[in-house]
Amino acid sequence: MSTLQQSTDATPRKLTVATAWLDGCSGCHMSFLDLDERLLALAELIDVVYSPLVDAKQLPEQVDLGILEGAVSNENDLQQARLFRQHCKVLISLGDCAVTGNVPAMRNTFPLKAVFERAYYENVTQRPGVIPTIEVPALLTYVQPLHAVVPVDIFIPGCPPRADAIYTILADLLAGKTPDPNAVTRFGA
Ligand code: SF4
C-alpha cells in the first residue's frame, strides 16, 4: 500500500482528501462529520478538495487520499470508482456497503428485470412502465463492493463505522503509520 507521508519541510503541505458516495445512504459521511471538534484539528492537516461535503466538485489530477462510501450499483458509480483509483494515491473503502455491497447488494438475489418490474410497474400508481433513461445512470446487472472493480488500499467496515474509528485510522495515516482497521471497527459496527 502507498503510505501518506507529509512533507518534512518547515511548513508541511496539507494532505489532499477527496470523498464521494456511490450507492450508499450517506450515513458513512455523516459519521465522518460526527468527528465534531476533531474536524478542526484535522482541518489543520488536510484539505478536502472534492466531496459532497464541500463546494469543490472537480476531482483534482492528483489527490493524496480518496474515500469512497457505498457499493457500485450503476454506471456512474463505476466511473467514479475508476476516477478515484486513477487520481488518488491511497484509496479507502468506507463502510459495509463499499466493503461488502451490504444493503444495496440485496437486489442481487433478483434478476435485474424483476427489479425494474417491481420499481416501475408494480410499485407505481402513475405512469407505470416508464423507466427513466435521461440523466439517470444505468443500473449494473449486479451490485459489487468497491474492491471488485478497483484495487483498494484500506477497508473500514461498519454500518456506519464509528467516528472514533474513522479518526483513529485517519490519524494513523497522517502520522505515516499503517492503520489497523480491525482493531477499531468491524462489520455492522
Ligand atoms: S455502510 Fe451503512 S451507513 Fe454506510 S452507506 Fe451503507 S447503509 Fe449507509
Side-chain angles (χ1 to χ4, degrees):
M1 183 194 88
S2 305
T3 55
L4 289 175
Q5 193 76 56
Q6 285 186 290
S7 154
T8 53
D9 297 348
T11 312
R13 111 180 141 77
K14 290 183 177 182
L15 293 173
T16 52
V17 176
T19 83
W21 54 62
L22 308 179
D23 191 359
C25 72
S26 78
C28 292
H29 273 72
M30 295 306 112
S31 197
F32 179 76
L33 289 180
D34 280 344
L35 290 173
D36 297 330
E37 70 277 3
R38 286 174 292 186
L39 287 170
L40 297 176
L42 269 184
E44 299 291 322
L45 303 171
I46 67 173
D47 264 336
V48 180
V49 292
Y50 175 93
S51 172
L53 304 174
V54 299
D55 283 339
K57 301 296 184 229
Q58 182 76 37
L59 187 64
E61 195 60 33
Q62 287 192 316
V63 179
D64 294 312
L65 179 61
I67 302 175
L68 285 176
E69 163 194 322
V72 180
S73 296
N74 63 41
E75 294 287 354
N76 190 59
D77 298 334
L78 185 58
Q79 185 184 22
Q80 189 82 312
R82 287 174 174 162
L83 264 181
F84 263 62
R85 182 64 282 176
Q86 185 181 345
H87 293 284
C88 300
K89 184 176 173 193
V90 171
L91 183 61
I92 289 181
S93 179
L94 179 67
D96 286 349
C97 292
V99 175
T100 70
N102 199 31
V103 177
M106 290 171 71
R107 80 159 162 90
N108 287 349
T109 53
F110 303 96
L112 193 53
K113 185 169 178 287
V115 173
F116 278 118
E117 283 177 357
R118 187 70 175 156
Y120 295 111
Y121 289 84
E122 299 168 16
N123 276 355
V124 290
T125 53
Q126 294 183 6
R127 303 175 70 211
V130 177
I131 299 175
T133 55
I134 299 171
E135 295 186 1
V136 177
L139 288 185
L140 302 174
T141 305
Y142 297 105
V143 176
Q144 293 182 287
L146 182 61
H147 65 276
V149 300
V150 293
V152 164
D153 300 303
I154 299 170
F155 297 85
I156 307 181
C159 184
R162 291 175 302 107
D164 285 349
I166 294 172
Y167 183 77
T168 300
I169 292 163
L170 288 181
D172 280 349
L173 280 170
L174 289 166
K177 300 181 196 164
T178 301
D180 180 11
N182 291 332
V184 290
T185 185
R186 59 181 171 78
F187 291 100

